[in-house]
Amino acid sequence: MTRVEQELIRNFSIIAHIDHGKSTLADRILQLTGAISEREMRDQVLDSMDLERERGITIKAQAVRVFYTARDGKTYQLNLIDTPGHVDFSYEVSRSLAACEGALLVVDASQGIEAQTLANVYLAIEGDLALIPVLNKIDLPAADPELHGGAVAELIGDDPDHVLRISAKTGEGVADVLEAIVEHIPPPSGDRDAAPRALIFDSVYDQYRGVVAFVRVVDGEFRKGDRLLAMQTGREVDAEEIGVMSPRMTPTGSLAAGESGYMVTGLKSVGDLKVGDTLTLAKRPAPEALAGYREVKPMVFCGLFPVDSDDYPDLRDALEKLSLNDASLQWEPETSQALGFGFRCGFLGLLHMDIVRERLEREYDLELLATTPNVEYEVTTTAGEELGVRSPADLPPATNVESIREPYVRCTILVPSDGVGAVMQLCQERRGSYVTMTPIEQRQQIVYDLPLAEIVTDYYDQLKSRTRGYASLDYEVVGYRESPLVKLDVLLAGEPVDALSMIVHKDMAYGRGKALVERLQKTIPRQMFEVPIQAAIGGRIIARETVKARRKDVLAKCYGGDISRKRKLLEKQKEGKKRMKQVGSIEVPQEAFLSVLTLGNDQQSNGKGK
Amino acid sequence: MTPGASHLYAHLPFCASRCGYCAFVVEVGALDRRDAYAAALRAELAAESGRLGPLETVYLGGGTPTLMRPHRLRGLLEDLAPRLAPGAEVSIEANPETVDGDQLRELRALGITRVSLGAQSFQPHLLAALDRAATPAQVRRAVACAQDAGFASVSVDLLFGVPGQTPQDLEADLAAVTGLGVDHVSWYELEIKPGTALERMGAEPPDEDRAADAYERVVEGLEAAGFRWYETANFARPGHECRHSLAYWSAADYLGIGVGAVSTAGGVRWRNAAGVDRYIAALDAGEAPRRETETLDADTRRRERWMLGLRVDRDLDIGWAGAPDHPEALERLEAGGLVRRSGSRIALTRRGRFIQNAVLQELMEYAS
């Protein structure tokens, strides 16, 4: 295979808010360049996981190579590195961008810039990437290309006339996008003769081939059979196969500076090849590793318990298998008095948590109970010990606590001017502190610092509902701050239920406790005996409700000896009970363990179409 | 060899119309098949007679058995007469609008000892909601005729939980039924079953508190009038309990004949298929009707004995019924005032009887 000159290579990604048409544009590019035939054309080829396709989101970064013969008559190799569009996965975005020299900034011509896009644009500008502004969906009646085009140009300091106007859906203007990529994005500038270096921007585990690393080669050249050295971990492994995605895995035998592709390693876990590490050759190691990424830290934690305790080993196996492909998923065994044996799992965010849970249930056929998500607290005890607390159950008694710190995030919210009041009110309610407000287009960019714990409940839903869906949100962690936090316990029939405990700000404890017991009272069905539900701080009861005792539960007529029908009714009733969790002698429906999430509103759900 | 069954059920499916709440095996608009059906019933009885011992009880249920008119029942009852044990109970269900004094006297003369009249309510708007054809006056007249005809027991069926039934309606029904001088009352909670007109109309059962209020009131009202609450939904003056029903609740073997009828004998349960024409054709051809058979293993039978045994107000002997699946629950249930125990005998307390399913689910592992 003839090596394509670096001059003819363009590495780019697409920055877009969810639902602004990134996947459709990517599909259209694949089609226009002949990488995929009409017949093969499926919607959203790049989103290959079922779940991604279903939810209309991109989770993992991927790189696809296409060839494009430009109007100058030359054939260019274009490498599209996909970026996820959700805030949970913003670290993935930075990884994708680091493997590129440029990016398409795609904005919906009827919606304008969203908070997420903004954050990613800043990432791209920091990374010195060439940006090509694109207004998509100009075929929509609500499109306002003048307004939004002007704003996009202003944001990146470009001339409004340079903003491309396209419809990825109809294909209008997409060829101009390809031309712009060739014209405005610089070719890679690696040294092909230097010691080889490649940045691992993603890795996946394939059950037949082991770990497959997705790499951007910066210097030199890698060939099939080379002994690779991962510079950070010191791990050596053979490159069993080298190739590119076009868009399926296609072996090429080698990858050279400027190119992106994959390397098959046969390793057993994605943890063995760290994303952000630099690959070089064992026999000709590069003197210096490339700048990697910061370590990904899980931000949200929850307990996952099998509804049927016999499924515990299956849950462990399933988590092990999922971790092969998801280095950001953390888990450790956890025992709950109420829920038995399970795992405390750490996630990048709520969407990540939802996705992992859904995959466990769907792909591994497990029925799971997830406890209320929480963040990790830093606790200093009176004895001067420092603890990381990921579960309310692990919080020491108040008398032993010197101080507690919680993670804060800086939230950037874009909202039309008439929504400013609602947003600020919500942020105040959630213990936010105001940072700045700046007009962008006809909207306001509001920046608040908020405790992450306030975001992982129903903040996003509230934000959407109070602004009639117009606000968009992005956030980044800004560190830990000390807060007066207390543990709120829930007692059923006088017994504390560890899985329902939560850590809350002391000023909000009363309101949360009251709302929680009211919610539980509505969620827990009548029991054989009356059950008091209490919320308590330390030993002090702050709220109480009662689940009423059952008064009537009989089968009516036993007609003409039809005894089997009666028995089957009892069996059916029993099936219904199986979906409950037995806590002491009380049957608690699974929703009850999530009810703190939904205080005040419906459960949060993210993703396209919302 | 198990001794023959002492209890016989015969199903008489014909009805003039289908009531809004009915999900039983009934035949509407097939009255011309009544003679052939009576002959087929006798044929099935003859074919199955080897399973029968002396009959302690016989129950003619429906449908509307009285639509058969006495003359179509004569042959069956004559076949049965030599099989009856001394003092046997022979019951028939009757719709009040289908009987008069002559017919009731005729049925009595044919050996029927007990009649159960389907009143359901004495309130015209509730009878309308249930699609019942009888008027309250017809119900009263039918009860009087049955009492005059000399039956050993006269029973009335009633319903609570009917859409639109107010507490005042319930009091009026209580007053009406206790004023009739009947010996036995079956007072069921209306079930809105799938496939019924009520369900299609979107009728909703009352919430648990309202249903419990009504049920408790039924029990109180009938007890105050001298009835004993001897089974979940059945009330009798002393000596007037329905022995046929008691046989079901004590898990005795019984034979059922006719369409849709269920039999249980020797650890096997079978149910005849619905469909009068196919039933008649099969028996005409000298064959057994189509049946679904279910073998009851030891655990199933044990769980059924608990399910049935706890319905009646007599003690359940654990030695007879077999151990509960969760014996440890007994203590908790006893401490909570739902169960009474003395030695190996247990019974539900009054509160326990109102929530017997919940108690059963604690004690037994009902799983399909």
Side-chain angles (χ1 to χ4, degrees), chain B residues 13-20 22 26-31 63-64 67 95 97 130-133:
Chain B
F14 301 98
C15 280
S17 63
R18 184 182 277 275
C19 300
C22 173
V26 302
E27 290 279 335
V28 175
L31 294 182
T64 311
L67 268 189
N95 275 20
E97 75 281 9
L130 295 166
D131 293 336
R132 297 295 286 183

Side-chain angles (χ1 to χ4, degrees), chain A residues 322-389:
Chain A
L322 276 191
S323 319
L324 292 179
N325 242 333
D326 185 350
S328 54
L329 170 63
Q330 290 190 358
W331 47 282
E332 59 196 21
E334 178 177 55
T335 312
S336 155
Q337 284 155 18
L339 303 177
F341 292 106
F343 297 93
R344 176 123 305 237
C345 302
F347 309 94
L348 300 171
L350 280 184
L351 179 67
H352 187 215
M353 179 178 104
D354 266 7
I355 285 169
V356 168
R357 187 176 157 197
E358 210 170 314
R359 289 188 67 187
L360 288 169
E361 294 199 326
R362 195 185 294 194
E363 295 169 29
Y364 298 92
D365 200 24
L366 292 163
E367 232 192 303
L368 296 179
L369 205 153
T371 63
T372 305
N374 57 270
V375 300
E376 177 166 9
Y377 297 92
E378 290 177 359
V379 176
T380 307
T381 65
T382 45
E385 247 183 314
E386 297 289 331
L387 304 174
V389 170

Side-chain angles (χ1 to χ4, degrees), chain A residues 403-419:
Chain A
S403 62
I404 307 179
R405 287 165 305 283
E406 63 179 329
Y408 265 71
V409 291
R410 178 152 293 178
C411 287
T412 303
I413 299 145
L414 267 185
V415 67
S417 298
D418 62 356

Side-chain angles (χ1 to χ4, degrees), chain A residues 481-498:
Chain A
R481 296 183 191 173
E482 186 170 337
S483 296
L485 298 167
V486 292
K487 186 168 136 199
L488 180 69
D489 289 312
V490 172
L491 292 79
L492 290 184
E495 293 294 320
V497 179
D498 53 4

Side-chain angles (χ1 to χ4, degrees), chain A residues 44-97:
Chain A
Q44 302 182 13
V45 173
L46 284 188
D47 296 346
S48 60
M49 279 167 73
D50 276 354
L51 213 57
E52 292 189 12
R53 198 180 297 276
E54 231 167 78
R55 292 200 175 204
I57 50 174
T58 306
I59 302 165
K60 304 285 279 186
Q62 278 203 29
V64 174
R65 169 188 289 192
V66 297
F67 286 96
Y68 171 65
T69 304
R71 288 175 194 148
D72 63 11
K74 294 181 194 158
T75 298
Y76 292 84
Q77 180 199 103
L78 309 183
N79 296 307
L80 165 57
I81 295 167
D82 203 12
T83 57
H86 191 275
V87 60
D88 275 7
F89 302 102
S90 60
Y91 82 104
E92 300 249 16
V93 175
S94 66
R95 278 153 49 174
S96 307
L97 296 179

